[in-house]
Amino acid sequence: MVKLLIPLIVVVLGLAGTGVAEEVVLKNGDRISGKIVSETDEAVEIETVYAGVVRIDRNHIAKFSEPDQKREDATPALAVADKPKPVDKTEGTETPTVSPTSRRNRIGNHFASLVDGWEGNANIGFSFTSGNSNYTTLATGLRASKNIGNDKLNVYVRSLWNRNRGSGRMITTQNAFWGGGRYDRNINREVFGFVSYDFERDRPKRLNFRSVVGGGIGHHLVRSEKTQIELIAGGAWNRTWVPGPNTDTPEALAGSTLKHRFNDRLRVQKSFTYFQNVTEASTYRLLFDASVLADVTKRIGFFVTVGDRFNNDPVGTAKKNDFLFTTGMKWNFGKKK
C-alpha cells in the first residue's frame, strides 16, 4: 500500500503546478485578468503580467469568469502605465536601481516565513469538583491555518486530562491527546490535492500511539465568502502501537469539512473522516468534530465543541465509542477584522 500511496501523492503534487487563467470582474465593471494564487474570506490575490500580485477586497468583487481573449476593451482597472525604471548613471553606464526591500518582497511573494501569516484560535476548559464528587478535568485545543499562494496548511491539536480524587486515591481516568495537519495544493478553483498526517494517544484505551499518513484528491463544493464546504477521498497507512504486536493497516479514507460564518462574531466548523480497512472490510473508524465559536472581542471569546471517535475493532476491552463535550474560553490570533 505504501508503494501505491507514494506515487499517488507525487502525481497529486505534480498536477498541482498547473495554473488556470481567470478574470475577476469588479462591481464597478472593471476587469482584472491573471492567475488566482490565493483566496481567503476577506480578499483574493491574483497574479498579473503587468503589476505582479494584486490583492482585491472581496467586497469589490462581482464575479469570476474565464478571460475573453477577443475583447478589445478589456483594459485592466489596476494596470500600471509603462514607466522607465530609475537608473543610476555613472560614466555613461546605466544600472537599474533595485532596493533590497523590493528584491526580498519578490523572492518571498509566495513563501512567507514559517511563523508569519497564521490565523486560528487556542482554547482551554477546566472543571473542578469536591465533596460527593471529586474530579479535575482539563481540556485544551489549538487550530490554525496558513495560506501560501496556491497552498494551504491546516494544523490542529487537542488534549483531555481527567483525574478522580475519590476513595483517598488520585487516579488518572483520562489522558488522551490527538492532532495532525493537512497540506492542500489547488489544481484549479474546484479541485485540490492533499497530503495529511494524524496522530492519537489514549492511555485508558491502551492505545500507546497511532500514526496515520494519508493523501488524495479534494473538491471545493462550496467556496463563498461565508461558507466553505470541502469533500476529500484518498488512501492512508495506519501504524498503531499497542500492548503486544504493533499493527500496520492500509486504509481508504473519505470525508468532508464545513466552515460557516454567520457574522463577524459567530461561526461554526465541522469535520468528518471515515477510514475503511482495505484488507478487512468489517473494520473501520470514524472521526467527527464540530464546534460553535463566539467572539466577545476581537481576541477573546468562548467555544462549545463535541467530538466522537468510533472504532469497531478497539484494543483489548476498550469500548468502541468515545464521546467528548468541552466548553471554555478561546483566544484568537492572526485574525483580520
Side-chain angles (χ1 to χ4, degrees):
M1 181 64 184
V2 174
K3 294 181 178 180
L4 294 176
L5 181 60
I6 292 177
L8 172 62
I9 296 173
V10 173
V11 170
V12 169
L13 294 180
L15 290 174
T18 304
V20 178
E22 296 192 66
E23 189 174 64
V24 178
V25 181
L26 304 184
K27 293 181 179 180
N28 64 359
D30 293 335
R31 297 168 179 264
I32 303 174
S33 299
K35 183 176 69 175
I36 294 178
V37 297
S38 175
E39 288 190 67
T40 66
D41 292 342
E42 293 81 17
V44 172
E45 292 184 354
I46 181 168
E47 185 175 12
T48 67
V49 297
Y50 45 82
V53 176
V54 178
R55 187 176 187 276
I56 309 170
D57 194 300
R58 277 194 179 273
N59 294 329
H60 300 299
I61 298 176
K63 64 178 182 177
F64 299 91
S65 65
E66 295 294 330
D68 186 353
Q69 301 296 338
K70 297 181 180 180
R71 283 181 57 94
E72 297 180 356
D73 60 339
T75 303
L78 299 182
V80 179
D82 294 333
K83 295 181 180 180
K85 295 182 179 179
V87 296
D88 181 16
K89 296 183 179 181
T90 305
E91 297 181 359
T93 302
E94 296 186 358
T95 304
T97 302
V98 181
S99 68
T101 301
S102 299
R103 187 180 297 110
R104 287 195 299 269
N105 288 341
R106 289 200 301 269
I107 294 175
N109 190 27
H110 297 296
F111 297 95
S113 65
L114 184 62
V115 296
D116 293 335
W118 288 95
E119 295 185 18
N121 61 79
N123 57 68
I124 184 170
F126 179 79
S127 64
F128 178 89
T129 63
S130 63
N132 294 319
S133 177
N134 295 276
Y135 285 96
T136 304
T137 302
L138 176 67
T140 63
L142 172 70
R143 185 176 294 272
S145 64
K146 178 182 177 70
N147 290 297
I148 315 172
N150 282 326
D151 307 328
K152 184 176 183 179
L153 180 61
N154 291 284
V155 296
Y156 74 97
V157 179
R158 293 178 63 188
S159 71
L160 179 64
W161 179 81
N162 182 276
R163 174 167 288 183
N164 183 358
R165 306 185 311 278
S167 304
R169 296 189 307 165
M170 290 191 295
I171 302 174
T172 300
T173 58
Q174 187 76 51
N175 183 13
F177 69 86
W178 54 94
R182 198 180 84 191
Y183 176 82
D184 298 346
R185 172 80 174 182
N186 287 330
I187 299 174
N188 53 45
R189 276 185 54 79
E190 295 184 351
V191 180
F192 63 92
F194 74 91
V195 291
S196 63
Y197 176 72
D198 295 275
F199 63 88
E200 181 181 2
R201 187 191 74 174
D202 195 331
R203 290 289 189 180
K205 291 171 58 178
R206 303 180 69 191
L207 175 62
N208 293 333
F209 198 76
R210 174 180 285 128
S211 174
V212 182
V213 179
I217 295 292
H219 175 64
H220 297 293
L221 186 63
V222 177
R223 200 176 187 183
S224 66
E225 183 178 355
K226 289 189 174 183
T227 305
Q228 299 179 28
I229 301 177
E230 298 174 347
L231 304 177
I232 60 171
W237 189 266
N238 180 348
R239 172 72 168 173
T240 303
W241 287 262
V242 294
N246 300 325
T247 62
D248 290 281
T249 307
E251 297 177 320
L253 68 86
S256 65
T257 60
L258 163 69
K259 294 181 180 180
H260 179 73
R261 180 165 55 88
F262 294 98
N263 50 51
D264 291 339
R265 300 291 186 182
L266 181 64
R267 61 192 185 279
V268 297
Q269 57 190 34
K270 182 273 301 179
S271 65
F272 170 80
T273 310
Y274 172 83
F275 294 91
Q276 173 64 56
N277 189 326
V278 174
T279 59
E280 189 175 346
S282 61
T283 304
Y284 60 92
R285 298 184 297 119
L286 301 175
L287 306 180
F288 175 82
D289 289 290
S291 299
V292 178
L293 309 168
D295 293 338
V296 179
T297 68
K298 290 183 179 182
R299 296 297 179 187
I300 304 298
F302 63 90
F303 72 96
V304 175
T305 295
V306 294
D308 196 270
R309 300 291 185 272
F310 180 85
N311 186 347
N312 76 325
D313 187 21
V315 179
T317 59
K319 295 183 179 180
K320 295 182 178 181
N321 196 73
D322 283 309
F323 177 80
L324 171 68
F325 174 88
T326 57
T327 183
M329 301 298 295
K330 69 182 185 70
W331 173 68
N332 303 317
F333 56 88
K335 193 170 183 179
K336 300 176 182 177
K337 283 190 177 182

